[in-house]
């Protein structure tokens, strides 16, 4: 992707909700505000979710267990680029290009 295409893509993400997973098993959900050349990301109106560890021992054929993720409101956060393992854009059909 060329630099101008990259810049246009990043601009199109401004104020969209991103889900960012970090290497310490946390997930941040907030509005994309900025990034830099080190891949650090600034999110606004952010919630942090702690992903629970998988059960250590599950019997074969056992019922699946649903665990709620603990969350807290953080507001404006900076996420270091080196800690990011996954970035997802949260879009609804009405927000995608070409849809009305």
């Amino acid at each position: 992707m060329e630099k101008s295409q990259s810049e246009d893509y990043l601009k199109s993400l401004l104020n969209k909700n991103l889900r960012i997973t970090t290497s310490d098993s946390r997930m941040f959900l907030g509005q994309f505000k900025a990034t830099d050349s080190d891949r650090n990301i600034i999110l606004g109106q952010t919630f942090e979710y702690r992903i629970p560890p998988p059960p250590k021992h599950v019997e074969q054929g056992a019922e699946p267990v649903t665990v709620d993720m603990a969350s807290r409101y953080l507001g404006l956060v900076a996420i270091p680029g080196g800690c990011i393992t996954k970035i997802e854009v949260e879009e609804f059909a009405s927000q995608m290009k070409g849809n009305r």
Side-chain angles (χ1 to χ4, degrees):
M1 191 180 282
E2 291 183 30
K3 185 177 178 182
S4 63
Q5 290 174 313
S6 301
E7 289 173 354
D8 289 343
Y9 179 69
L10 284 173
K11 286 177 186 175
S12 77
L13 294 178
L14 285 173
N15 296 314
K16 289 194 178 175
N17 287 333
L18 297 185
R19 269 190 309 267
I20 298 179
T21 305
T22 58
S23 55
D24 61 357
S25 297
R26 291 186 291 167
M27 184 190 62
F28 297 89
L29 177 61
Q31 288 182 350
F32 176 62
K33 297 297 181 185
T35 189
D36 63 14
S37 60
D38 295 323
R39 298 184 329 249
N40 301 314
I41 293 182
I42 305 288
L43 295 179
Q45 300 180 8
T46 306
F47 285 87
E48 173 195 41
Y49 296 88
R50 296 210 177 250
I51 301 169
K56 294 185 183 203
H57 178 69
V58 177
E59 293 180 23
Q60 202 168 19
E63 294 278 329
V65 177
T66 303
V67 179
D68 290 329
M69 293 187 350
S71 69
R72 65 181 178 154
Y73 180 74
L74 299 177
L76 189 67
V77 299
I79 304 170
C83 297
I84 296 172
T85 59
K86 186 177 184 182
I87 299 174
E88 300 171 283
V89 179
E90 185 177 72
E91 278 190 317
F92 300 100
S94 62
Q95 295 171 316
M96 292 181 194
K97 286 186 177 183
N99 292 345
R100 294 182 186 226

